[in-house]
Amino acid sequence: MKAKIKLALSRLTPVALLALLRYVHSKLVGNPAYATPAVPLADMLLMGDQLQVAIENAKQGGLEEKLVRNALVLDTKAMLNKQADYVRLIAQGDAVKLASTGFTLAKQPEPIGLPGTPDIRKVRMTGKPGEAEVTWTAQKGADSYEVKFTDKDPLLGEWEVAAITTKARILLTGLESFKPYWVSVSAIGAAGKGVMSDPAIVRAA
């Protein structure tokens, strides 16, 4: 997965913006991967000096000084955006190259693995002939659950799919009264189907 730059310049105070400008400038000086930056490094240095003066003047000054500072803040953001576009073009998603510029990298989404294995919590008769209810633990990342059953030794692996449900419970119907069945549940997520749960015995009234 390609790395990306996270700018979020609108959230930065003028002081934080100045710090970012200075840091990116220092990381680009002598950086062999970025020999011809879109914004000349001398221009970045000059902008930093001007913004620093404007920030100091705005602390003690009036409306005019604040307007000058705000205008330079906008110019600095535009400069950083332009430089960031150049960096993205050169790096082509290479995290090492992007990080070498001083820009903050966006957090990479963690890969979604297979969901966990459900634990069958309760099996009970409903009181109605041929019915039994099974509940299990919900699993993070699961979109649905596959419920299988068998009336043979579960070690033989001769399972039948009873249902696929989005809930962490199911009502089995059509069972022979008091006949033992084995039931097992698998969680299904974006990455596929997880491991089947330990089987549990279920009987209907």
Side-chain angles (χ1 to χ4, degrees):
M1 184 176 296
K2 291 185 177 181
K4 297 180 181 179
I5 287 174
K6 178 183 178 182
L7 282 179
L9 298 180
S10 61
R11 302 178 184 178
L12 298 181
T13 64
V15 173
L17 187 68
L18 174 61
L20 177 62
L21 178 69
R22 296 286 200 199
Y23 186 57
V24 171
H25 172 268
S26 69
K27 299 293 284 186
L28 289 177
V29 172
N31 192 324
Y34 304 94
T36 56
V39 178
L41 298 185
D43 290 354
M44 293 186 72
L45 186 61
L46 177 60
M47 178 66 77
D49 292 340
Q50 292 175 341
L51 180 58
Q52 185 171 355
V53 171
I55 290 173
E56 293 299 323
N57 291 340
K59 288 180 181 179
Q60 305 298 329
L63 178 60
E64 182 179 352
E65 286 76 15
K66 288 181 173 61
L67 289 175
V68 171
R69 178 203 60 191
N70 293 344
L72 282 171
V73 163
L74 292 177
D75 290 343
T76 301
K77 289 180 179 179
M79 177 178 285
L80 284 170
N81 272 311
K82 184 176 182 179
Q83 201 75 298
D85 287 341
Y86 162 74
V87 165
R88 292 186 185 100
L89 180 64
I90 299 299
Q92 292 295 304
D94 186 308
V96 174
K97 285 185 178 181
L98 288 175
S100 73
T101 66
F103 284 110
T104 302
L105 299 189
K107 184 178 179 181
Q108 294 280 9
E110 296 182 4
I112 300 175
L114 292 175
T117 303
D119 179 24
I120 295 179
R121 302 295 297 274
K122 184 168 64 175
V123 177
R124 71 177 186 90
M125 296 179 180
T126 65
K128 295 182 179 180
E131 286 189 359
E133 184 182 50
V134 182
T135 60
W136 54 86
T137 55
Q139 297 300 305
K140 182 179 179 180
D143 299 318
S144 59
Y145 300 91
E146 182 182 70
V147 182
K148 292 184 176 181
F149 76 104
T150 182
D151 58 0
K152 300 178 177 62
D153 186 335
L155 295 178
L156 296 176
E158 298 180 13
W159 296 93
E160 295 181 41
V161 177
I164 295 179
T165 176
T166 58
K167 299 179 180 179
R169 61 177 295 274
I170 191 174
L171 182 66
L172 298 174
T173 60
L175 306 177
E176 291 186 31
S177 296
F178 302 106
K179 179 179 179 178
Y181 294 87
W182 293 91
V183 64
S184 179
V185 183
S186 302
I188 303 173
K193 184 167 63 176
V195 178
M196 291 175 62
S197 70
D198 290 336
I201 295 178
V202 58
R203 287 184 173 88

